[in-house]
Amino acid sequence: MPLTSSLRMAALALLWGSGFLWIKIALNHGLSPAQITIARCALGTGVLLLLARSAGQRLPRDRGTWAHLTVAALFCNAVPFALFSIGEQTVDSGVAGVLNATTPLWSLLIGIGLGTDRGLGRTRLTGLFLGFAGTLLIFAPWHRSGLLTWGALALLAAAASYAVAFAYMARTLTGRGAPLAVSAAQLLTATAWTTLALPAAGPPRTDATGLLAIAALGILGTGVTFYLNYRLIADEGPTSAATVGYLLPVVSVALGALVLDEEIGLRVIVGMGVVLAGVALSRPRRAGVPDGIAARPAVSEDSKDAKGSEDSKDGEAPTRGLKRGLEARRP
């Protein structure tokens, strides 16, 4: 892999995995979950709008697309963003990153329920049970120091919300315009959803550290990382980008321990390993990108050509595996 792609992959893992850290710091410095959710959606929208405009992409104009974006933005942005902030009020940022890694398992369950995910072999079925066994090991309800709390359940619900959104987006938003512009439109709609919480948000009472944390989360963690992921898939394909998804929980745990002195016990570390092993086994054989923690933007159809993305007339940058890869991941 070229050095530039390797550096881009490293930056993606760091920025995506640090999202949980920024949420925790913002909470610790006086910002409420509602304020964090509103600010990150608004800042991320600004970044994506600028990127879309620089690429010559225009926002969707038909009502049908905006109607679907309204639903997608609710379950793919507004709800999970809020749940992650609520959950991290009582749960460490490292654990939040680990629980986020269960999104592909929820996606598989939904696919089985809807009948859209067929051909389950023993390997994938084993991965599904193994992944949730690892989650149970992390929760450890039989242990006094277990994590079965409302905060942890909120984090798990956020991962499940992403899975619900992916199932909906796959049916309704695939191929509806240039991906950067559609993603910007989705996050713009999510910003509108979150402003409904303004009356409950109250006036912000924070300091410079809190403001820097939310700026990093919105600008870098919700906007810039989408573009980096977009370019990585265009240059190297979804298989290379898949590596980043498995690094996210590791990054969140490491940053939580190094920056916030969070104590991650052996049980949680083992549980994380079991979850990631289960996710790896549950993935279909074709190349794909694990679900992790980003703006989770809507995407265009896959293309047969992984290169040539910058030659598109409208700047649509079609790439092989774009549909899977740009279902980006953010806490």
Side-chain angles (χ1 to χ4, degrees):
M1 182 183 298
L3 178 61
T4 54
S5 294
S6 298
L7 292 176
R8 189 179 293 133
M9 181 180 293
L12 274 172
L14 179 61
L15 292 176
W16 274 336
S18 67
F20 304 100
L21 172 68
W22 301 128
I23 291 174
K24 194 70 170 180
I25 292 177
L27 289 168
N28 290 344
H29 286 264
L31 288 170
S32 68
Q35 292 165 349
I36 294 172
T37 305
I38 295 169
R40 73 172 297 183
C41 283
L43 291 170
T45 299
V47 172
L48 289 180
L49 285 173
L50 289 175
L51 290 173
R53 182 169 183 175
S54 66
Q57 300 180 13
R58 294 178 294 183
L59 295 179
R61 296 185 177 183
D62 61 293
R63 294 182 180 179
T65 297
W66 282 101
H68 292 310
L69 285 173
T70 300
V71 178
L74 179 64
F75 290 101
C76 201
N77 303 106
V79 169
F81 285 2
L83 287 175
F84 272 111
S85 296
I86 292 171
E88 286 197 49
Q89 288 180 306
T90 56
V91 177
D92 287 346
S93 64
V95 175
V98 175
L99 295 179
N100 179 75
T102 63
T103 296
L105 305 176
W106 292 111
S107 293
L108 179 55
L109 273 183
I110 292 173
I112 295 172
L114 295 177
T116 57
D117 206 319
R118 301 175 181 177
L120 271 181
R122 292 183 180 179
T123 301
R124 295 187 72 195
L125 196 58
T126 299
L128 184 63
F129 283 110
L130 192 63
F132 283 113
T135 304
L136 187 63
L137 180 60
I138 294 170
F139 277 174
W142 61 84
H143 201 283
R144 183 173 296 180
S145 61
L147 293 173
L148 190 56
T149 64
W150 286 111
L153 291 175
L155 296 171
L156 207 58
S161 182
Y162 281 142
V164 170
F166 290 165
Y168 180 82
M169 291 160 66
R171 292 188 172 206
T172 61
L173 285 173
T174 300
R176 284 183 176 263
L180 276 173
V182 176
S183 298
Q186 180 175 317
L187 209 53
L188 180 63
T189 308
T191 304
W193 272 117
T194 58
T195 54
L196 297 176
L198 273 176
R205 295 185 178 91
T206 187
D207 54 20
T209 301
L211 293 176
L212 287 174
I214 197 61
L217 178 64
I219 296 173
L220 299 177
T222 310
V224 173
T225 51
F226 170 77
Y227 180 73
L228 291 177
N229 183 56
Y230 181 86
R231 290 307 313 156
L232 180 63
I233 295 172
D235 293 341
E236 299 298 330
T239 302
S240 296
T243 307
V244 179
Y246 292 104
L247 292 175
L248 302 185
V250 179
V251 172
S252 70
V253 168
L255 289 177
L258 291 173
V259 179
L260 300 176
D261 294 324
E262 295 176 350
E263 294 184 7
I264 303 297
L266 179 62
R267 188 188 74 248
V268 175
I269 296 296
V270 173
M272 177 179 69
V274 174
V275 167
L276 292 180
V279 168
L281 290 174
S282 68
R283 301 294 293 177
R285 288 181 178 272
R286 67 180 182 273
V289 177
D291 303 311
I293 60 169
R296 311 265 183 183
V299 297
S300 69
E301 286 281 11
D302 293 355
S303 169
K304 295 180 181 179
D305 186 5
K307 304 295 180 181
S309 59
E310 295 178 279
D311 297 328
S312 174
K313 181 179 180 181
D314 243 355
E316 292 187 14
T319 63
R320 183 175 63 248
L322 193 58
K323 174 179 175 292
R324 294 185 298 275
L326 293 188
E327 286 175 351
R329 5 62 178 83
R330 205 161 311 288

